[in-house]
Amino acid sequence: MKKLLNETIIYGIGAIMPRVILFILNPLYINQIENKDFAIFSNLYALISFVNIMLSFGFETAFFRFSAEKDNEKKTFNTSFWFLFGLSTLFLLGCLLFSQTIADTLEYSSNPEYIRWFAWIAFFDNLCVIPFAWLRYNNKPIKYSLVRVLQSFFQTIVTVALFLYIPLSVSQGFGLKEKVSFPFYSNLAASLLGFILLLPIVFKVQFQFSVDLFKKMIKYSWPIMIAGLAFMFNENFDKAIQIFYIPNEDAGAYGGCYKLAVLMTLFVTAYRMGIEPFFFKQMSNENAKNTYAKVTEYFTFFASTVAMGIIANISWLKQILIPNSTYWIAIDIIPIIVIANLCFGIYYNFSTWYKVIDRTKVGTIISWLGAGITIVLNLLFLTKYGFMVSAWVTFIAYFVMMITSYLLGQKYYPIPYRIKKMTFFLGLLMAFSFIIVYFFNYNFWVGNILFLLYAGILIYTEKDMLLSRIRKN
């Protein structure tokens, strides 16, 4: 148990630290890149997220599933790697041969090198999927996290050097025409480094490909890929299409301000890394439902307080994390995206029911319900009403997913949540956020008075629970 906890923490560092490091770089990007060019940054990274899901094809999870069968690990390792290698190579060759055509289609006619760079990034990242999975399967969390963190530090060093220390004339000699290309180039360098660091694992691959095993793995993995695509549509569809529907300056401002809301995303991601193993370990416990209810309530109360703290302090956070004031035209998306990510975190807790009773297809359906909302509403209203539509659509999608999972869960696997108390604090968060934004224009003092009031009400109403936890500790 202790070993599992320690490994979970180390894997968490490997998963979260790279995102934290890249989050810290965002102010540099925003300060150095004009918002119309930042739209290119947001668009290409959104598109590559879809490519990564399709190229990996759910084979990381399939590797874990079929390696667990007796004497099957080596055959699964080899078959998985060669499939992803072949798929990645075909994708790379296609992008290299038709880079100009793809660039014309995506309206980057003067920068076909962006397509080639991102093709190489996707290629190297996908070759690392199975070696990373091998490290996890063989209980090597330190090596796994070390590679992840070294990649991020290296990307940071290259990025900072390009922006601040290497003369622009030298960068242009490497084909870096605009500053927006600096993060792409540093990402490519980090992806290549990751592959090099994993070469000792890659060299374990043998020339073996089991057709029978491959058929089983494909059958198992494609629903995972479909579910992953749904998640990416919810997360990145807005940033992928905005550049084609609204002015580049608006799309860039949206992408830049969205990065501040990542504070909430990081919190939810860290929580998910730690809580998922716990949910499954509790499923056979006779008090499992009560435990799930308490964990969800604790998350809701604490995460809503974190969300309230972020929204109350946007007035000074934007000075540090969004230093270029031309981006502030999109500042009003931040409270909406923060609360949307809170709803996603609550949805993740509510999704426990279909995981523990093996009805995961329901999760795929709910995810695509959210994705459908995201796609349809953005396409219908984005041009007419601008980037605020994307923020509200994100909130609506996650809110609907949260409510749908709760209602279905109470029908098939009822859990005794204190739903009235949870609804009260979610509603109070929305009300206080509305007051801060629309009546007091993010005033620091008003925001933090309401934050303290919110925290005070929560502590007072939950004082019995808090005191019991203190006594236990």
Side-chain angles (χ1 to χ4, degrees):
M1 193 74 165
K2 185 178 180 181
K3 181 183 177 183
L4 178 62
L5 177 61
N6 290 336
E7 289 184 358
T8 300
I9 292 170
I10 296 170
Y11 283 128
I13 292 170
I16 299 299
M17 275 302 293
R19 299 185 68 171
V20 172
I21 292 169
L22 295 179
F23 174 76
I24 294 170
L25 281 176
N26 286 328
L28 177 63
Y29 296 157
I30 290 170
N31 193 44
Q32 294 284 331
I33 302 172
E34 294 183 20
N35 52 7
K36 64 181 179 65
D37 290 331
F38 199 88
I40 299 171
F41 178 91
S42 298
N43 172 250
L44 288 174
Y45 271 103
L47 291 174
I48 200 68
S49 68
F50 292 100
V51 171
N52 286 337
I53 291 291
M54 290 186 286
L55 288 182
S56 62
F57 216 88
F59 258 60
E60 179 184 47
T61 305
F63 170 78
F64 293 136
R65 163 66 180 82
F66 289 94
S67 290
E69 294 183 358
K70 188 176 180 180
D71 301 324
N72 217 26
E73 183 192 343
K74 287 185 178 179
K75 186 165 62 173
T76 304
F77 177 61
N78 296 326
T79 302
S80 301
F81 181 85
W82 288 119
F83 170 64
L84 295 191
F85 175 82
L87 194 61
S88 303
T89 301
L90 288 174
F91 172 79
L92 177 64
L93 291 174
C95 288
L96 295 179
L97 289 171
F98 302 103
S99 59
Q100 188 61 60
T101 303
I102 298 170
D104 293 342
T105 303
L106 296 176
E107 300 182 9
Y108 296 123
S109 299
S110 59
N111 298 103
E113 69 274 13
Y114 293 171
I115 307 304
R116 294 191 289 271
W117 292 347
F118 272 87
W120 279 109
I121 290 170
F123 176 77
F124 285 122
D125 285 350
N126 211 44
L127 291 189
C128 292
V129 168
I130 298 304
F132 271 130
W134 186 92
L135 288 173
R136 292 176 63 191
Y137 184 80
N138 288 278
N139 297 318
K140 298 184 183 296
I142 294 176
K143 289 184 179 180
Y144 172 91
S145 295
L146 184 61
V147 174
R148 290 287 195 190
V149 173
L150 284 175
Q151 278 185 285
S152 298
F153 274 118
F154 183 68
Q155 184 172 346
T156 300
I157 291 168
V158 175
T159 302
V160 171
L162 286 169
F163 274 117
L164 303 180
Y165 297 106
I166 298 175
L168 191 59
S169 58
V170 175
S171 301
Q172 289 174 341
F174 288 99
L176 308 181
K177 301 175 185 177
E178 300 91 5
K179 285 187 175 182
V180 72
S181 65
F182 294 173
F184 308 157
Y185 199 77
S186 61
N187 193 163
L188 174 56
S191 295
L192 175 59
L193 175 67
F195 178 70
I196 292 171
L197 292 173
L198 289 170
L199 279 176
I201 313 300
V202 175
F203 288 150
K204 295 179 183 291
V205 178
Q206 298 173 349
F207 290 101
Q208 178 189 31
F209 189 90
S210 172
V211 176
D212 291 337
L213 176 61
F214 173 70
K215 290 178 180 178
K216 293 178 183 178
M217 295 182 75
I218 280 287
K219 185 178 180 180
Y220 179 86
S221 67
W222 74 261
I224 297 171
M225 186 268 287
I226 296 298
L229 279 177
F231 174 78
M232 281 303 163
F233 271 107
N234 286 324
E235 188 72 14
N236 288 322
F237 183 73
D238 50 1
K239 295 179 282 294
I241 68 163
Q242 281 182 350
I243 198 170
F244 307 114
Y245 288 86
I246 61 177
N248 279 19
E249 292 82 356
D250 289 351
Y254 178 91
C257 288
Y258 199 102
K259 299 295 183 183
L260 197 155
V262 168
L263 282 170
M264 192 66 196
T265 307
L266 289 174
F267 173 79
V268 173
T269 302
Y271 170 80
R272 289 171 60 194
M273 288 291 295
I275 205 63
E276 188 168 36
F278 175 81
F279 280 155
F280 286 104
K281 282 182 285 184
Q282 292 293 320
M283 60 186 289
S284 58
N285 192 315
E286 62 179 16
N287 293 318
K289 290 185 177 182
N290 289 329
T291 302
Y292 294 149
K294 288 180 181 178
V295 169
T296 301
E297 291 159 10
Y298 295 162
F299 170 82
T300 302
F301 299 151
F302 187 73
S304 63
T305 306
V306 172
M308 187 70 212
I310 294 171
I311 295 166
N313 290 282
I314 288 175
S315 60
W316 64 268
L317 285 173
K318 71 178 183 181
Q319 304 280 349
I320 299 172
L321 301 176
I322 314 174
N324 188 337
S325 61
T326 62
Y327 284 72
W328 295 353
I329 57 172
I331 207 73
D332 285 350
I333 74 164
I334 295 174
I336 302 168
I337 298 298
V338 166
I339 297 175
N341 278 297
L342 170 62
C343 290
F344 177 74
I346 299 172
Y347 158 75
Y348 187 79
N349 281 275
F350 285 161
S351 70
T352 303
W353 73 269
Y354 63 71
K355 294 176 182 177
V356 298
I357 64 171
D358 294 331
R359 300 190 65 167
T360 51
K361 288 183 180 178
V362 176
T364 302
I365 294 170
I366 294 173
S367 294
W368 274 103
L369 171 64
I373 292 170
T374 299
I375 294 167
V376 172
L377 294 185
N378 269 293
L379 291 177
L380 284 177
F381 300 113
L382 184 57
T383 301
K384 186 174 182 179
Y385 296 106
F387 55 71
M388 287 302 296
V389 164
S390 295
W392 282 111
V393 167
T394 300
F395 168 74
I396 292 169
Y398 285 147
F399 186 82
V400 169
M401 289 168 63
M402 176 182 70
I403 297 299
T404 303
S405 187
Y406 170 74
L407 293 176
L408 289 174
Q410 294 307 98
K411 180 179 180 180
Y412 294 106
Y413 187 81
I415 296 173
Y417 301 113
R418 288 187 294 163
I419 200 67
K420 290 183 179 179
K421 179 68 71 69
M422 293 166 63
T423 302
F424 170 76
F425 280 106
L426 188 58
L428 189 63
L429 169 65
M430 294 178 185
F432 280 5
S433 299
F434 182 82
I435 293 170
I436 292 168
V437 175
Y438 293 102
F439 289 104
F440 293 96
N441 194 30
Y442 302 101
N443 181 275
F444 171 82
W445 297 108
V446 172
N448 280 283
I449 288 171
L450 289 177
F451 169 63
L452 292 174
L453 179 60
Y454 185 90
I457 294 172
L458 177 58
I459 291 170
Y460 178 77
T461 58
E462 293 298 308
K463 61 181 183 298
D464 293 338
M465 179 271 291
L466 292 171
L467 288 173
S468 67
R469 300 301 300 177
I470 290 170
R471 292 191 190 102
K472 285 183 180 181
N473 294 328

